[in-house]
Amino acid sequence: AREKFQALRLHERLQFPNRRAVGGGAQTSSKAKEPTPKTKEEADFISKAIVGNESLQTIGTLDDARVKSMVDLMWQEEVAEGTRIIAEGDLDA
């Protein structure tokens, strides 16, 4: 199933619009944290990154209100240098 999907490189060729689930689903555990306060400059920077992300465009309409809501809920997290956070093509991201 998944192995064959990846072997055929379909994950590079297919896009699934209005994808409701993001991440590894039940296979991963994560907890939302309290949103981190952001300066206007930080919020603008993050908003621009979200709007410019082609992959996020497939999940639905990203109007100003939705982008602001996403930015408002984000938190900052410290990670050790060299920690792998996400890799291109990672299907569990």
Side-chain angles (χ1 to χ4, degrees):
R2 179 181 214 119
E3 293 80 22
K4 188 164 188 168
F5 186 85
Q6 289 177 304
L8 294 170
R9 301 177 67 101
L10 293 175
H11 62 285
E12 296 174 4
R13 298 181 183 129
L14 299 175
Q15 289 187 3
F16 299 98
N18 298 320
R19 184 175 164 194
R20 299 285 181 223
V22 176
Q27 300 164 352
T28 62
S29 63
S30 63
K31 292 193 174 200
K33 298 182 181 179
E34 289 296 314
T36 303
K38 297 158 204 67
T39 66
K40 179 174 178 356
E41 291 78 19
E42 290 169 330
D44 290 346
F45 178 81
I46 296 167
S47 295
K48 190 174 181 179
I50 291 170
V51 171
N53 186 316
E54 291 179 18
S55 296
L56 291 177
Q57 302 302 319
T58 65
I59 65 171
T61 304
L62 291 177
D63 57 27
D64 290 342
R66 183 169 283 178
V67 172
K68 182 181 181 329
S69 177
M70 291 171 71
V71 171
D72 289 347
L73 290 172
M74 292 180 172
W75 64 87
Q76 181 175 350
E77 191 162 329
E78 300 287 329
V79 294
E81 184 175 338
T83 301
R84 178 181 166 211
I85 298 170
I86 190 170
E88 183 175 353
D90 190 349
L91 296 179
D92 291 326

